[in-house]
């Protein structure tokens, strides 16, 4: 630094462009102060500095300022990132300490030079500063950055809720929705758009009333992605963030309503979407998607009604618009009972649906409609390979049932379960066939 000053006094320059563009005194003082910030941190008390300390600060600072504005901003960024605070309110004075005081309050009355403009711009680009504040010689006109607390104050929201929302939306670098440092900021425009969403948020529990829908239908709309909760799938446990932007809910209903014809009285066969799903055995979500994509032409709304359940569709058109292959589905209980040769009541007991120990496995039918239990063909085949009913043995033997039962008893072949409990005489197949002529 001393060599640089001597060179400047001799009228020479060019080795440090950023320093060359300002008077020697400004360049020297800025270099020393940057050196203190880089070597000792923002909390350093300058009154305790010795000549040796100032000499070292000059050497550290010159390595930064001689390289120009980019290196100076890098030092500022290191200071900002190195600050470990556990509260939401952080201002530039807290971050930059003595360095900020030197440039903000300027007790000497001397112009510090371009270093002040660099710090001011850095603060505006990286920290939340309230409009109207005097920042390093000029009032702040617009906020460029927001952190959770500044956004909460401006919009009357809870800071923790705002912080969780910023994390959930990925607007700040922090991944911890519970830890506010005040150092996590984002673009002010993005943040204020999010604040508007928070103010309009409707908790999921209140969506049915808002949309004229049932809670199961709301759950379907959320699961299918027609409505998106504000937590963006992060499962942040805050009621507000689990909610949906009222504007998005209203837009969704408006899109659905645009496909409907307003009528004074509903056509006889037209029913609400969930009823149509049951009658047509289709998913409500698929019906909604068909409406949005223009796949249904027969949609009505009775004049004076509104909301999701006010939309009426024709189940017969739903079937045609949403053809469904059922060949891949497992057997219904009726079909399985016919193959085995038992009543539906007996089949329920064999499946364990009446509280007894099951002899067969079943699968859940998740499709809309009354059928909830199905049995795979392989399971029916397995059952028939292991068991045989008394009725089947009678048909094979061509004898009276009493004769068949007597032969079985004589061979020590007994029913696998009490026939009174399961509603059918059922035997192990191999020994039963061997005992029956």
């Amino acid at each position: 630094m001393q060599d640089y000053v001597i060179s400047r006094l001799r009228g020479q320059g060019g080795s440090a462009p950023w320093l060359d563009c300002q008077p020697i005194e400004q360049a020297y003082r800025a270099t020393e102060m940057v050196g203190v910030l880089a070597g000792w941190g923002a909390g350093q008390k300058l009154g305790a500095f010795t000549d040796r300390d100032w000499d070292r600060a000059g050497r550290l600072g010159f390595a930064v300022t001689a390289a120009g504005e980019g290196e100076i901003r890098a030092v500022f960024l290191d200071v900002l990132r190195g600050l470990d605070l556990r509260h939401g309110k952080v201002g530039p004075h807290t971050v930059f300490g003595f360095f900020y005081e030197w440039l903000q309050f300027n007790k000497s009355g001397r112009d510090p030079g371009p270093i002040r403009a660099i710090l001011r711009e850095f603060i505006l680009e990286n920290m939340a500063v309230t409009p109207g504040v005097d920042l390093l010689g000029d009032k702040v006109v617009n906020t460029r950055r927001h952190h959770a607390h500044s956004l909460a104050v401006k919009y009357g929201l809870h800071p923790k809720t705002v912080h969780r929302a910023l994390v959930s939306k990925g607007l700040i670098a922090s991944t911890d929705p519970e830890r506010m440092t005040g150092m996590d900021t984002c673009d002010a425009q993005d943040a204020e758009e999010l604040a508007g969403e928070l103010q309009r948020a409707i908790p999921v529990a209140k969506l049915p009333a808002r949309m004229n829908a049932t809670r199961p239908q709301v759950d379907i709309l959320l699961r299918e992605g027609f409505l998106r909760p504000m937590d963006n799938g992060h499962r942040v446990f805050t009621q507000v963030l689990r909610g949906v932007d009222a504007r998005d809910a209203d837009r969704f209903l408006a899109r659905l309503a645009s496909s409907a014809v307003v009528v004074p009285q509903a056509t006889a066969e037209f029913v609400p979407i969930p009823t149509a799903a049951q009658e047509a055995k289709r998913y409500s979500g698929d019906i909604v998607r068909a409406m949005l994509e223009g796949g249904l032409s027969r949609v009505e709304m009775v004049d004076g009604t509104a909301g999701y359940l006010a939309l009426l569709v024709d189940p017969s058109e739903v079937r045609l618009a949403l053809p469904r292959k059922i060949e891949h589905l497992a057997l219904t209980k009726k079909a399985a009972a016919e193959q085995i040769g038992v009543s539906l009541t007996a089949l329920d007991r064999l499946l364990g649906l009446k509280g007894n120990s099951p002899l067969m496995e079943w699968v859940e039918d998740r499709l809309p409609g009354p059928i909830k239990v199905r049995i795979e063909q392989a399971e029916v085949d397995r059952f028939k390979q292991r068991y045989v009913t008394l009725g089947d043995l009678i048909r094979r033997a061509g004898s009276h049932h009493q004769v068949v039962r007597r032969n079985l008893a004589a061979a020590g072949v007994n029913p696998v379960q009490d026939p009174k409990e399961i509603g059918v005489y059922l035997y192990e197949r191999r020994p039963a066939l061997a005992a029956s002529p």
Side-chain angles (χ1 to χ4, degrees), residues 115-126:
I115 188 67
R116 179 162 60 185
I118 294 177
L119 180 61
R120 186 178 192 277
E121 189 66 15
F122 179 87
I123 290 171
L124 290 174
E125 289 178 357
N126 293 276

Side-chain angles (χ1 to χ4, degrees), residues 48-377:
F49 254 42
T50 65
D51 288 343
R52 179 174 294 180
D53 292 331
W54 282 114
D55 180 68
R56 182 183 170 212
R59 294 173 185 273
L60 290 173
F62 186 71
V64 176
T65 58
E69 182 176 335
E71 285 298 311
I72 296 171
R73 291 172 65 89
V75 170
F76 294 163
L77 187 60
D78 287 342
V79 172
L80 184 64
R81 289 176 174 172
L83 195 65
D84 184 20
L85 295 178
R86 297 182 180 273
H87 56 81
K89 302 177 184 179
V90 176
H93 194 175
T94 304
V95 177
F96 292 102
F98 80 88
F99 198 84
Y100 178 83
E101 292 175 1
W102 166 54
L103 296 173
Q104 174 74 7
F105 304 118
N106 194 15
K107 296 178 181 179
S108 68
R110 298 170 182 167
D111 180 5
I115 188 67
R116 179 162 60 185
I118 294 177
L119 180 61
R120 186 178 192 277
E121 189 66 15
F122 179 87
I123 290 171
L124 290 174
E125 289 178 357
N126 293 276
M127 301 182 67
V129 184
T130 304
V133 168
D134 184 346
L135 177 64
L136 301 177
D138 290 303
K139 284 191 176 182
V140 175
V141 178
N142 297 311
T143 299
R144 298 189 201 174
R145 308 286 294 180
H146 269 303
H147 53 48
H149 190 271
S150 66
L151 195 63
V153 168
K154 182 170 183 176
Y155 287 89
L157 299 167
H158 195 288
K160 286 189 175 181
T161 298
V162 174
H163 177 71
R164 289 166 180 154
L166 292 172
V167 171
S168 178
K169 293 291 187 180
L171 292 179
I172 59 178
S174 173
T175 57
D176 187 348
E178 303 303 322
R179 185 175 184 269
M180 293 174 56
T181 67
M183 304 304 298
D184 301 310
T185 66
C186 65
D187 178 79
Q189 182 175 344
D190 293 339
E192 294 186 8
E193 287 179 2
L194 176 61
E197 294 179 24
L198 289 172
Q199 290 181 321
R200 296 187 300 268
I202 304 173
V204 171
K206 294 184 178 180
L207 278 174
R210 168 88 182 198
M211 300 179 65
N212 181 25
T214 64
R215 178 57 188 265
Q217 289 294 303
V218 167
D219 290 341
I220 289 172
L221 296 175
L222 288 166
R223 186 170 62 247
E224 294 288 328
F226 298 115
L227 299 176
R228 295 187 180 278
M230 291 194 61
D231 69 3
N232 223 25
H234 284 67
R235 298 182 63 81
V236 178
F237 296 107
T238 300
Q239 289 298 325
V240 172
L241 298 185
R242 290 180 189 169
V244 173
D245 187 336
R247 186 171 59 186
D248 291 342
D250 292 343
R251 286 173 178 169
F252 168 71
L253 290 175
R255 287 182 63 198
L256 286 179
S258 67
S259 65
V261 176
V262 178
V263 295
Q265 184 175 354
T267 304
E269 64 270 21
F270 281 49
V271 293
I273 294 171
T275 306
Q278 290 291 323
E279 293 184 8
K281 295 181 175 57
R282 302 295 189 270
Y283 289 114
S284 293
D286 289 340
I287 296 175
V288 170
R289 190 171 292 105
M291 293 172 65
L292 294 174
E293 294 174 355
L296 295 179
S297 60
R298 292 165 58 79
V299 183
E300 294 181 352
M301 286 184 72
V302 176
D303 191 17
T305 63
Y308 183 79
L309 292 178
L311 291 153
L312 308 175
V313 296
D314 182 357
S316 61
E317 186 190 23
V318 170
R319 292 190 193 96
L320 292 174
L322 301 171
R324 187 181 71 180
K325 294 182 178 180
I326 61 174
E327 295 82 3
H328 68 286
L329 295 177
L331 298 171
T332 63
K333 288 199 300 181
K334 181 180 179 182
E338 290 175 352
Q339 287 193 30
I340 296 170
V342 298
S343 67
L344 286 173
T345 302
L347 181 63
D348 280 346
R349 293 192 173 101
L350 294 177
L351 295 171
L353 299 176
K354 299 297 183 181
N356 54 300
S357 298
L359 293 177
M360 297 181 68
E361 294 183 356
W362 57 277
V363 293
E364 182 181 0
D365 187 341
R366 298 181 180 274
L367 294 175
I371 298 176
K372 298 304 176 187
V373 174
R374 289 184 179 270
I375 304 94
E376 297 286 356
Q377 181 65 57

